Amino acid sequence: MYKNSLLAKSVHFALMSGAAVAALSASTAFAAEEEGAKVERIEVTGSRIKRTDMETTVPITVLSREDIAQTGAINVADILNSSPVTIAGSDQSNSAFSTTTVGLNTTSLRNLGESRTLVLVNGRRFVSGVDPSTGYAVDLNAIPTSMIDRIEILKSASSAIYGSDAVAGVVNIITRKDFDGVEIAAQAGVSGESDRETRTISVTSGKNWSGGNAWISLGYDDDKGIKGTDRDFSKQDLAVFLDDNGNEVADILNSSYPPQGRIGGYNGDGSEYGGGVADGFNRASYRQLVTPLERKYAAAGLTLELADNVSMWNELNWNTTKTNDSTIEPTPLDIVNDVWKKSRNGKGGMDVNSPLIPDALRAALVADGITNLNETTFVRRMVEFGARSTDLERNTIRVATGMDWAINDTWTSSTYLTWGRTDQQQDNGGQVNVERAALALDVIEDANGNLVCANELARLQGCVPLDMFGAGTISDDAVKYVKSPAKAVGQAEQFVLGTSVTGELPLELAGGNIGVAMGLEYREERGTYSPGDLAQTGASSTNQSDPTDGKLYTKDVYAEAILPVMDGLELDLAARYADHSITGGDWTWNAGVEYTPIDSLKLRASAATAIRTPNIADLFGGKGETFSRVTDPCDGITATTAGDVAANCRSIPQISARIAADPNGEFVLTQAERQGTGGTVGGNVDVKAETADTWSAGFVWQIMDELSFTVDYYDISVKDAIDTTDRSVVLTRCFEVAPSAFSQNCNGATLRDANGALIDVNSGTSNENNIDTSGIDAEVNYTVDIGPGSFKAQLVWNYTNEYVTTGILDGDAIDYVGEVLYPEHRANLNLSYLIDDFSFAWRMRYWDSVVDSVNGDNGNFTDGESLTTFNEIDAVVYHDINARYNFSNGVEATVGIRNLFDKQPPLLPQGTNSGGTGINTASEAYDVTGRYFYAGVTVKF
């Protein structure tokens, strides 16, 4: 069993010194025990029982400190999400258009979502960094790279070991310990376009003594980001059109909410509105391609031996992240519906004879038969109010402390407590107070012939006329009166208390003693979010939103056992019972087997159940206003249309009256009515837990000391997956019932106006889908001495066989494999050469060829047909190089280039499904920065 092999020695070296992944993965030791020798046991992600080797019944990928150094990444998300088994949930590009998640960096295993990926720090939970109204995930910004020793990715469900959320697997970030001395590290970088400047500096100091260790680390990171206009692919709002020959082309699609205003078919000054580049508005000119991010952090650790067999440990993390100067385009204001609320039966408007309206515009409107502006379209881009900005700060603090007791030679006890809190504060600019806008649009002439607000009280409060008829016509005083600066605050808090005992039972099987672990755990989550007073009342131009306030807790008991049935055959068993305060009790279990028929080959298989209990956002997320498109099943119904849906529609008095009054006996909505349906989405306390059944099987083959090969097949089936119910689905479920069971207001979910048009359709979270995914992971590691140095090669490959989402209600299934974010193949090839104090690394990242949509639900802007040319995206390969040199005086210098050949991202403009808002590509898959240079130095003394 490799008693003194290079393989066994490599495990110890890699774990204790953070060697490269190639060395670590090659070192898959198969439990080497020498007679009479003390066996060193290590803690491995996925088990609470220490063991003698890294390989377990489930596959684990390790990213070492060396890997992080070779990428020059100052954010752990950059290295983690480049792994073939993970993908970004939120990143600094795909969140740039958001006001609450902007700047977040999260990760998703198997593409199953950040909420199904459990992120741990040193084997224990870390507090969420997402505002509780939006979701739940660890913000990787809160874990600086300078603190990290290695990252272990457990690529299998593990709820029986760690509890809820470990559906896709576990990301366990192991921080540095037992630091002795002082280390100062600094790095700077810049793109080939001379932007996205980054800089980082950290100072770490620690001391070992006979009774323990103490250390502290301080650091600062700054990422200047990239403006949308600084790259050709994102400097304009683009969409897919058909040219004169019917070919798909990407062309400029400027917004029809222009700075000069658009009233019917006219500009604000009365000239004809031509649209296009001349009269439209380029929203991209205000957008971010990469959100700027500034971080400051401090971390500390203390370990003390209180007695020969008792030790205490403490961890402290503090991090603050700022996303200053994050902007999107100025507010697009729909005066008819946002201010006068016509879509909600509002009666406001502006008579065509208002003194605010220019004569030329008045004449054109009168000629068209318009007597009041609420009878036509009236929209404007509010550029005088500036960009909609989000200055957001997240402060995360986490304290972890515990005590370990070596009861005897075989039994140990561990008790720990963690508490963490993330406070989010944001200032939003560029918004409009729609109530004051209504007052400022209602003007008269005073005795001196000056235009003033008609409402006397409003005048006393500073109201001045709001002239929106032309570019630059809104005065500074009007901006001051109408603008709506907003503040929003949120807080996520977590408390965990756990205790466990581990050891060996006095029962020996043929392969050795039975190892066991058992314990109790209590976890409490709290979350609040206040979107600001005007946002809550609906008086702001942003969507109305209710506050969030919720609390949940879970009480868990678990047990695990390792049964060495015989020499070379081991069973791993685990079970957990979790009692959730909202959803009740759930059992989960893990079962695995390892079999080593010969010294060089290990076979393994595992099966497990997992759960994801709903989080604060799922349960208690405040209702927020939305105007996403919905399909009214009554649209097009006639007096003679057959079927239950038609009968249910005609049972609604407003619809039956409209059908009776229509010359053709139809209920046909206007375009404005189809587009004007509002409503809310939010949490739902009736949501139940998701469940998952997973299994994997594979082998580890140490072909020779220098070459190893690992292959694992995985299969994950998620039931009752939590999602926000599409509002059109709400309507379908409401109307596709027998008339005797039909509710005219869909049990309170809908509201119609006097003409029968939908005003509101409300929805929320529910257990919507089943998700099935499967595939193969493979790793090949090779190490050989060439010339005066050592060459290492590692191939990490993922093949996704299926990713099927099936609607629970209708049974509709879509297999997303082959779409942009679900490539069939992803792979990394890492090559390195070490000679004395010099090392060189070349890393290649492969993303397979994909399509934008597998089921044709995208479309061009000319005739709406599904995309063809723009549906096809070629495979890409990114090349990164890194060189480092260790000087004899404790100084290490590094230089590197990411995206060496300046590979540009594929164009995914409007009309595609995968293109991120405002960036015309998919940042989760493709590099948006371009060629990037960095250099750094580390000094140790």
Side-chain angles (χ1 to χ4, degrees), residues 915-937:
T917 302
I919 64 174
N920 296 323
T921 192
S923 60
E924 303 94 326
Y926 307 110
D927 178 45
V928 300
T929 302
R931 186 182 293 118
Y932 192 81
F933 305 90
Y934 62 90
V937 61

PDB file of all heavy atoms in Angstrom, residues 915-937:
ATOM      1  N   GLY A 915     -26.795  37.115 -23.389  1.00  0.00           N
ATOM      2  CA  GLY A 915     -26.089  38.384 -23.262  1.00  0.00           C
ATOM      3  C   GLY A 915     -26.484  39.129 -22.008  1.00  0.00           C
ATOM      4  O   GLY A 915     -27.667  39.330 -21.739  1.00  0.00           O
ATOM      5  N   GLY A 916     -25.495  39.532 -21.202  1.00  0.00           N
ATOM      6  CA  GLY A 916     -25.773  40.290 -19.990  1.00  0.00           C
ATOM      7  C   GLY A 916     -26.272  41.681 -20.314  1.00  0.00           C
ATOM      8  O   GLY A 916     -25.872  42.285 -21.320  1.00  0.00           O
ATOM      9  N   THR A 917     -27.139  42.214 -19.475  1.00  0.00           N
ATOM     10  CA  THR A 917     -27.707  43.542 -19.706  1.00  0.00           C
ATOM     11  C   THR A 917     -26.605  44.579 -19.798  1.00  0.00           C
ATOM     12  O   THR A 917     -25.826  44.763 -18.870  1.00  0.00           O
ATOM     13  CB  THR A 917     -28.667  43.925 -18.566  1.00  0.00           C
ATOM     14  OG1 THR A 917     -29.697  42.951 -18.476  1.00  0.00           O
ATOM     15  CG2 THR A 917     -29.282  45.298 -18.815  1.00  0.00           C
ATOM     16  N   GLY A 918     -26.527  45.233 -20.942  1.00  0.00           N
ATOM     17  CA  GLY A 918     -25.602  46.348 -21.108  1.00  0.00           C
ATOM     18  C   GLY A 918     -24.192  45.980 -21.476  1.00  0.00           C
ATOM     19  O   GLY A 918     -23.376  46.883 -21.717  1.00  0.00           O
ATOM     20  N   ILE A 919     -23.832  44.679 -21.564  1.00  0.00           N
ATOM     21  CA  ILE A 919     -22.439  44.348 -21.873  1.00  0.00           C
ATOM     22  C   ILE A 919     -22.301  43.563 -23.179  1.00  0.00           C
ATOM     23  O   ILE A 919     -21.186  43.334 -23.645  1.00  0.00           O
ATOM     24  CB  ILE A 919     -21.774  43.572 -20.727  1.00  0.00           C
ATOM     25  CG1 ILE A 919     -22.440  42.218 -20.500  1.00  0.00           C
ATOM     26  CG2 ILE A 919     -21.809  44.378 -19.433  1.00  0.00           C
ATOM     27  CD1 ILE A 919     -21.718  41.351 -19.472  1.00  0.00           C
ATOM     28  N   ASN A 920     -23.410  43.104 -23.764  1.00  0.00           N
ATOM     29  CA  ASN A 920     -23.413  42.438 -25.070  1.00  0.00           C
ATOM     30  C   ASN A 920     -22.573  41.167 -25.122  1.00  0.00           C
ATOM     31  O   ASN A 920     -22.079  40.785 -26.190  1.00  0.00           O
ATOM     32  CB  ASN A 920     -22.937  43.412 -26.166  1.00  0.00           C
ATOM     33  CG  ASN A 920     -23.874  44.586 -26.345  1.00  0.00           C
ATOM     34  OD1 ASN A 920     -25.092  44.445 -26.251  1.00  0.00           O
ATOM     35  ND2 ASN A 920     -23.317  45.769 -26.567  1.00  0.00           N
ATOM     36  N   THR A 921     -22.381  40.509 -23.994  1.00  0.00           N
ATOM     37  CA  THR A 921     -21.714  39.217 -23.964  1.00  0.00           C
ATOM     38  C   THR A 921     -22.080  38.549 -22.643  1.00  0.00           C
ATOM     39  O   THR A 921     -22.896  39.082 -21.877  1.00  0.00           O
ATOM     40  CB  THR A 921     -20.190  39.355 -24.131  1.00  0.00           C
ATOM     41  OG1 THR A 921     -19.623  38.061 -24.366  1.00  0.00           O
ATOM     42  CG2 THR A 921     -19.552  39.990 -22.911  1.00  0.00           C
ATOM     43  N   ALA A 922     -21.493  37.393 -22.361  1.00  0.00           N
ATOM     44  CA  ALA A 922     -21.769  36.658 -21.117  1.00  0.00           C
ATOM     45  C   ALA A 922     -20.485  36.581 -20.306  1.00  0.00           C
ATOM     46  O   ALA A 922     -19.583  35.800 -20.627  1.00  0.00           O
ATOM     47  CB  ALA A 922     -22.295  35.265 -21.426  1.00  0.00           C
ATOM     48  N   SER A 923     -20.401  37.391 -19.262  1.00  0.00           N
ATOM     49  CA  SER A 923     -19.166  37.474 -18.482  1.00  0.00           C
ATOM     50  C   SER A 923     -18.909  36.213 -17.673  1.00  0.00           C
ATOM     51  O   SER A 923     -17.770  35.962 -17.277  1.00  0.00           O
ATOM     52  CB  SER A 923     -19.228  38.676 -17.545  1.00  0.00           C
ATOM     53  OG  SER A 923     -20.325  38.565 -16.644  1.00  0.00           O
ATOM     54  N   GLU A 924     -19.955  35.405 -17.393  1.00  0.00           N
ATOM     55  CA  GLU A 924     -19.739  34.162 -16.663  1.00  0.00           C
ATOM     56  C   GLU A 924     -18.881  33.192 -17.478  1.00  0.00           C
ATOM     57  O   GLU A 924     -18.168  32.359 -16.904  1.00  0.00           O
ATOM     58  CB  GLU A 924     -21.065  33.485 -16.339  1.00  0.00           C
ATOM     59  CG  GLU A 924     -22.029  34.347 -15.540  1.00  0.00           C
ATOM     60  CD  GLU A 924     -23.007  35.088 -16.434  1.00  0.00           C
ATOM     61  OE1 GLU A 924     -22.614  35.480 -17.550  1.00  0.00           O
ATOM     62  OE2 GLU A 924     -24.167  35.269 -16.013  1.00  0.00           O
ATOM     63  N   ALA A 925     -18.957  33.306 -18.801  1.00  0.00           N
ATOM     64  CA  ALA A 925     -18.252  32.371 -19.677  1.00  0.00           C
ATOM     65  C   ALA A 925     -17.011  32.975 -20.314  1.00  0.00           C
ATOM     66  O   ALA A 925     -16.012  32.267 -20.518  1.00  0.00           O
ATOM     67  CB  ALA A 925     -19.206  31.890 -20.782  1.00  0.00           C
ATOM     68  N   TYR A 926     -17.040  34.256 -20.632  1.00  0.00           N
ATOM     69  CA  TYR A 926     -16.002  34.841 -21.465  1.00  0.00           C
ATOM     70  C   TYR A 926     -15.320  36.028 -20.779  1.00  0.00           C
ATOM     71  O   TYR A 926     -15.952  36.766 -20.023  1.00  0.00           O
ATOM     72  CB  TYR A 926     -16.607  35.281 -22.804  1.00  0.00           C
ATOM     73  CG  TYR A 926     -17.356  34.185 -23.497  1.00  0.00           C
ATOM     74  CD1 TYR A 926     -18.743  34.219 -23.603  1.00  0.00           C
ATOM     75  CD2 TYR A 926     -16.676  33.082 -24.015  1.00  0.00           C
ATOM     76  CE1 TYR A 926     -19.445  33.198 -24.224  1.00  0.00           C
ATOM     77  CE2 TYR A 926     -17.375  32.058 -24.638  1.00  0.00           C
ATOM     78  CZ  TYR A 926     -18.752  32.109 -24.745  1.00  0.00           C
ATOM     79  OH  TYR A 926     -19.436  31.092 -25.351  1.00  0.00           O
ATOM     80  N   ASP A 927     -14.042  36.161 -21.052  1.00  0.00           N
ATOM     81  CA  ASP A 927     -13.247  37.244 -20.478  1.00  0.00           C
ATOM     82  C   ASP A 927     -13.611  38.568 -21.147  1.00  0.00           C
ATOM     83  O   ASP A 927     -13.536  38.685 -22.370  1.00  0.00           O
ATOM     84  CB  ASP A 927     -11.757  36.949 -20.693  1.00  0.00           C
ATOM     85  CG  ASP A 927     -10.869  38.053 -20.173  1.00  0.00           C
ATOM     86  OD1 ASP A 927     -11.131  38.530 -19.053  1.00  0.00           O
ATOM     87  OD2 ASP A 927      -9.931  38.459 -20.881  1.00  0.00           O
ATOM     88  N   VAL A 928     -14.001  39.552 -20.356  1.00  0.00           N
ATOM     89  CA  VAL A 928     -14.398  40.850 -20.907  1.00  0.00           C
ATOM     90  C   VAL A 928     -13.282  41.887 -20.812  1.00  0.00           C
ATOM     91  O   VAL A 928     -13.389  42.965 -21.394  1.00  0.00           O
ATOM     92  CB  VAL A 928     -15.662  41.392 -20.192  1.00  0.00           C
ATOM     93  CG1 VAL A 928     -16.825  40.435 -20.357  1.00  0.00           C
ATOM     94  CG2 VAL A 928     -15.392  41.666 -18.717  1.00  0.00           C
ATOM     95  N   THR A 929     -12.215  41.574 -20.104  1.00  0.00           N
ATOM     96  CA  THR A 929     -11.140  42.553 -19.885  1.00  0.00           C
ATOM     97  C   THR A 929     -10.167  42.595 -21.045  1.00  0.00           C
ATOM     98  O   THR A 929      -9.697  43.655 -21.446  1.00  0.00           O
ATOM     99  CB  THR A 929     -10.392  42.234 -18.579  1.00  0.00           C
ATOM    100  OG1 THR A 929     -11.317  42.234 -17.496  1.00  0.00           O
ATOM    101  CG2 THR A 929      -9.291  43.252 -18.318  1.00  0.00           C
ATOM    102  N   GLY A 930      -9.836  41.444 -21.609  1.00  0.00           N
ATOM    103  CA  GLY A 930      -8.804  41.374 -22.630  1.00  0.00           C
ATOM    104  C   GLY A 930      -7.450  41.073 -22.004  1.00  0.00           C
ATOM    105  O   GLY A 930      -7.345  40.668 -20.843  1.00  0.00           O
ATOM    106  N   ARG A 931      -6.398  41.264 -22.792  1.00  0.00           N
ATOM    107  CA  ARG A 931      -5.050  40.983 -22.293  1.00  0.00           C
ATOM    108  C   ARG A 931      -4.788  41.795 -21.037  1.00  0.00           C
ATOM    109  O   ARG A 931      -5.107  42.975 -20.961  1.00  0.00           O
ATOM    110  CB  ARG A 931      -4.011  41.299 -23.356  1.00  0.00           C
ATOM    111  CG  ARG A 931      -2.595  40.892 -22.956  1.00  0.00           C
ATOM    112  CD  ARG A 931      -1.584  41.281 -24.025  1.00  0.00           C
ATOM    113  NE  ARG A 931      -1.784  40.505 -25.238  1.00  0.00           N
ATOM    114  CZ  ARG A 931      -2.105  41.029 -26.417  1.00  0.00           C
ATOM    115  NH1 ARG A 931      -2.285  42.343 -26.535  1.00  0.00           N
ATOM    116  NH2 ARG A 931      -2.271  40.252 -27.469  1.00  0.00           N
ATOM    117  N   TYR A 932      -4.187  41.119 -20.033  1.00  0.00           N
ATOM    118  CA  TYR A 932      -4.006  41.764 -18.733  1.00  0.00           C
ATOM    119  C   TYR A 932      -2.626  41.448 -18.176  1.00  0.00           C
ATOM    120  O   TYR A 932      -2.207  40.283 -18.136  1.00  0.00           O
ATOM    121  CB  TYR A 932      -5.083  41.285 -17.745  1.00  0.00           C
ATOM    122  CG  TYR A 932      -5.137  42.115 -16.500  1.00  0.00           C
ATOM    123  CD1 TYR A 932      -5.812  43.324 -16.491  1.00  0.00           C
ATOM    124  CD2 TYR A 932      -4.473  41.717 -15.344  1.00  0.00           C
ATOM    125  CE1 TYR A 932      -5.843  44.105 -15.360  1.00  0.00           C
ATOM    126  CE2 TYR A 932      -4.505  42.493 -14.205  1.00  0.00           C
ATOM    127  CZ  TYR A 932      -5.188  43.693 -14.225  1.00  0.00           C
ATOM    128  OH  TYR A 932      -5.217  44.481 -13.104  1.00  0.00           O
ATOM    129  N   PHE A 933      -1.897  42.487 -17.767  1.00  0.00           N
ATOM    130  CA  PHE A 933      -0.546  42.358 -17.249  1.00  0.00           C
ATOM    131  C   PHE A 933      -0.539  42.600 -15.742  1.00  0.00           C
ATOM    132  O   PHE A 933      -1.262  43.469 -15.243  1.00  0.00           O
ATOM    133  CB  PHE A 933       0.386  43.385 -17.907  1.00  0.00           C
ATOM    134  CG  PHE A 933       0.405  43.324 -19.406  1.00  0.00           C
ATOM    135  CD1 PHE A 933      -0.482  44.082 -20.166  1.00  0.00           C
ATOM    136  CD2 PHE A 933       1.316  42.520 -20.078  1.00  0.00           C
ATOM    137  CE1 PHE A 933      -0.461  44.035 -21.549  1.00  0.00           C
ATOM    138  CE2 PHE A 933       1.346  42.454 -21.456  1.00  0.00           C
ATOM    139  CZ  PHE A 933       0.451  43.217 -22.195  1.00  0.00           C
ATOM    140  N   TYR A 934       0.286  41.863 -15.035  1.00  0.00           N
ATOM    141  CA  TYR A 934       0.424  42.105 -13.598  1.00  0.00           C
ATOM    142  C   TYR A 934       1.843  41.759 -13.149  1.00  0.00           C
ATOM    143  O   TYR A 934       2.556  40.967 -13.786  1.00  0.00           O
ATOM    144  CB  TYR A 934      -0.594  41.283 -12.800  1.00  0.00           C
ATOM    145  CG  TYR A 934      -0.444  39.793 -12.936  1.00  0.00           C
ATOM    146  CD1 TYR A 934       0.373  39.057 -12.068  1.00  0.00           C
ATOM    147  CD2 TYR A 934      -1.128  39.098 -13.928  1.00  0.00           C
ATOM    148  CE1 TYR A 934       0.514  37.689 -12.183  1.00  0.00           C
ATOM    149  CE2 TYR A 934      -0.999  37.725 -14.050  1.00  0.00           C
ATOM    150  CZ  TYR A 934      -0.179  37.022 -13.182  1.00  0.00           C
ATOM    151  OH  TYR A 934      -0.038  35.667 -13.303  1.00  0.00           O
ATOM    152  N   ALA A 935       2.241  42.355 -12.053  1.00  0.00           N
ATOM    153  CA  ALA A 935       3.551  42.102 -11.460  1.00  0.00           C
ATOM    154  C   ALA A 935       3.439  42.306  -9.960  1.00  0.00           C
ATOM    155  O   ALA A 935       2.701  43.189  -9.495  1.00  0.00           O
ATOM    156  CB  ALA A 935       4.614  43.032 -12.042  1.00  0.00           C
ATOM    157  N   GLY A 936       4.149  41.483  -9.209  1.00  0.00           N
ATOM    158  CA  GLY A 936       4.072  41.590  -7.764  1.00  0.00           C
ATOM    159  C   GLY A 936       5.341  41.150  -7.087  1.00  0.00           C
ATOM    160  O   GLY A 936       6.237  40.550  -7.702  1.00  0.00           O
ATOM    161  N   VAL A 937       5.421  41.429  -5.806  1.00  0.00           N
ATOM    162  CA  VAL A 937       6.575  41.044  -5.011  1.00  0.00           C
ATOM    163  C   VAL A 937       6.094  40.650  -3.619  1.00  0.00           C
ATOM    164  O   VAL A 937       5.153  41.248  -3.080  1.00  0.00           O
ATOM    165  CB  VAL A 937       7.610  42.188  -4.927  1.00  0.00           C
ATOM    166  CG1 VAL A 937       7.007  43.411  -4.255  1.00  0.00           C
ATOM    167  CG2 VAL A 937       8.872  41.737  -4.213  1.00  0.00           C
TER     168      VAL A 937
END
